[in-house]
Amino acid sequence: MASGKSTIAAEIAGHTGLPHLDLDNLFWGAGWTPVDPMTFQNRARDVLCAETWIADGNYGGPVGEMLLGHAELAIWLDLPLRTCLPRLLKRSFRRAARGEELFAGNQETFRHLVARDSILLWGPAHHRQHRRRWHQHLGPDKPHGLPVLHLTRSTVVAPELRAMSLLPPATRVVAPCRTR
């Protein structure tokens, strides 16, 4: 939730030329209705059959296992709630104000943001649970041999990914010299 998964995946895809798979696009139907589990699994299976890809999402269960089973590297953005919550608020209010279309034509609206099932309530309420789940799957005692890049601070994300050539080198902006 608002750790930067989609943004980072899109940046890596843009830099590497890998196709970008956003699992939310496969999961959500019209009217913020999840597709049935078999449809979600079949959609994911079809896309993961490609030779190369970069995927983002926060899904466990059969789709999460399928993803980990096909991946060569997992990048775990395990950021604290104090980092994610302000991002979530800013992103959600921006999307609502602009009427941005998301998955399957869905939009976050101000009415949706104050509803019982609002992402603004759901995200913080599930943050700890998601961290525990991913620790089981991606932590030191993980059940598979998949390499995991575990990033716990937002300040190290870009430098670590640049060091692996997954993002382009940083560009330095140098102010022009002033002469008298």
Side-chain angles (χ1 to χ4, degrees):
M1 168 216 56
S3 63
K5 296 177 302 295
S6 298
T7 300
I8 291 296
E11 289 177 8
I12 292 171
H15 176 66
T16 63
L18 294 172
H20 177 203
L21 163 64
D22 184 335
L23 292 177
D24 283 335
N25 283 323
L26 305 179
F27 180 79
W28 290 107
W32 291 106
T33 304
V35 298
D36 69 85
M38 284 310 300
T39 299
F40 183 41
Q41 289 175 40
N42 290 335
R43 288 177 175 180
R45 185 177 299 109
D46 290 346
V47 176
L48 294 175
C49 286
E51 188 174 323
T52 59
W53 42 263
I54 177 145
D56 73 88
N58 193 11
Y59 293 90
V63 170
E65 292 300 321
M66 189 184 329
L67 184 67
L68 293 175
H70 285 80
E72 294 178 10
L73 170 69
I75 301 169
W76 179 15
L77 300 178
D78 183 19
L79 305 182
L81 184 59
R82 70 178 177 274
T83 300
C84 297
L85 187 56
R87 290 177 176 186
L88 177 66
L89 291 167
K90 182 179 176 181
R91 179 188 77 188
S92 296
F93 282 105
R94 183 195 72 234
R95 286 176 173 174
R98 293 181 183 171
E100 291 179 27
E101 188 173 306
L102 300 171
F103 331 102
N106 295 309
Q107 295 177 314
E108 285 185 85
T109 64
F110 289 110
R111 177 179 288 157
H112 187 250
L113 294 180
V114 296
R116 273 174 129 177
D117 61 348
S118 169
I119 186 70
L120 300 180
L121 298 174
W122 183 90
H126 290 84
H127 184 77
R128 188 175 300 172
Q129 173 188 347
H130 285 292
R131 289 180 88 183
R132 278 195 307 265
R133 182 186 69 204
W134 288 115
H135 183 76
Q136 290 174 338
H137 289 288
L138 301 175
D141 299 324
K142 60 189 178 275
H144 50 74
L146 180 66
V148 176
L149 179 59
H150 183 195
L151 303 172
T152 59
R153 294 187 344 261
S154 59
T155 56
V156 302
V157 173
E160 289 283 342
L161 297 175
R162 281 189 189 102
M164 297 177 74
S165 299
L166 293 173
L167 292 179
T171 55
R172 248 180 94 187
V173 177
V174 179
C177 293
R178 290 184 158 189
T179 57
R180 291 184 191 235

